[in-house]
Amino acid sequence: MRHSRILGIGHYVPPRVLTNHDLEALMDTSDEWIRQRTGIEERRVVEPGVPTSELAFQAAQNALAHAQVEAKDVDLIVVATLSPDYYFPGVGVLLQDRLGAREIPALDIRQQCSGFVYGLSIADQYIRTGTYERVLVVGAEVQSAGLDYTTRGRDLAVIFGDGAAAVVLGPSEEPGVISVHLHSQGKYFDMLWLEKPGSQSAPTITAHDLEEGRHFPHMEGQTVFKHATRRFAEAIHEVLSHNGTKVEDIDLFFFHQANLRIIDAISKMIGIPPEKSFNNLQRYGNTTAASIPLCMSEAVEQGRLQRGQLVCPVAFGSGFTWGSALIRW
Ligand code: UT7
């Protein structure tokens, strides 16, 4: 039986730090509010003009080096992002070119905060079926270019950060990716969304839309919070019961880094002790598709995540989309 496993991982964050105190100078907010409501202390932001594909490239190179795989040996690129360089074409093809990869397929996927778990599933399926040998999955975001750093946009501007992380997957006799479980519920598409530009109107964006700030993301924070808590818990129960595993069997949980209050609430609900989850949103905020692999990559760097351990990534985000996985590292 052919399985897939993660051969290597890497990340990249831009060097510029934007602290809660820096935000206080831009909008009516406070370090205390942001810490209490989210757990975030600072986030990284690019210098203006640095695109998502650049962060994706840096992270991909680090992951390839860690996996000891050359770019020319990659068979498929999957990029998860909600902040592509262009409306089209996607970041995947830009990355194919930057890496100097062969003329391989390059996908962009649009599952926001669940993007990495969805990407993992795609890579796993292509490898299991024997279609491809080496798949690069990248989560990359430049959120800062599209946020409203005024009091009007403060609910989202304080949460999101820029960053990227990538994994390289390859075939294995023993299961690495053991199972992946994916869900969506489009009914709530406008609870966390970016309305404009979009093909539901012609032209796709107007001067009036810009005045009204419709080109900035919008979130119904409390509704998303409520659904996130429920779906995170369901996704963990699903992956554990599917595999006949218990919380005690898992070495580390990797939650999508949306809000420390959500992670704490679920951990209490399910009985996950604090030492079994790896969080870094204090330093990076919510980096959407990059958040889970960014945690995993830092956990590897710090020696917290080691070969042979059993880990559970779990995500929820815009769409709504959510999912979980069980991985033997
Ligand atoms: O990544 C995908 C999944 N995302 C999530 O799961 C995020 C889920 N939602 C959340 O994490 C939280 O809803 C937030 C952190 C976004 C907001 O926290 P909250 O405790 O739900 O606050 P709220 O939206 O109920 O707002 C409370 C107050 C409001 O003022 P009033 O109406 O009580 O006077 C807001 O206007 O806080 C105000 N507020 C702020 N104050 C200072 C909103 N944003 C800010 C801010 N600084 N940045």
Side-chain angles (χ1 to χ4, degrees), residues 309-325:
Q309 287 186 328
L310 200 56
V311 303
C312 175
V314 56
F316 174 88
S318 157
F320 292 143
T321 57
W322 65 99
S324 55

Side-chain angles (χ1 to χ4, degrees), residues 27-30 33-34 37-38 112-113 151 153-160 192 219-226 228-229 232 256-259 261-262 286 288 316-318:
M27 61 188 78
D28 179 13
T29 191
S30 68
W33 189 97
I34 302 169
R37 304 281 176 137
T38 70
Q112 295 65 250
C113 303
T151 300
R154 64 181 180 175
D155 57 335
L156 285 174
V158 305
I159 291 176
F160 288 128
L192 175 48
M219 175 166 77
E220 296 294 328
Q222 291 192 4
T223 304
V224 176
F225 191 104
K226 203 175 68 192
T229 310
F232 269 120
H256 163 57
Q257 303 287 288
N259 187 322
R261 277 160 55 213
I262 297 179
N286 178 346
T288 309
F316 174 88
S318 157

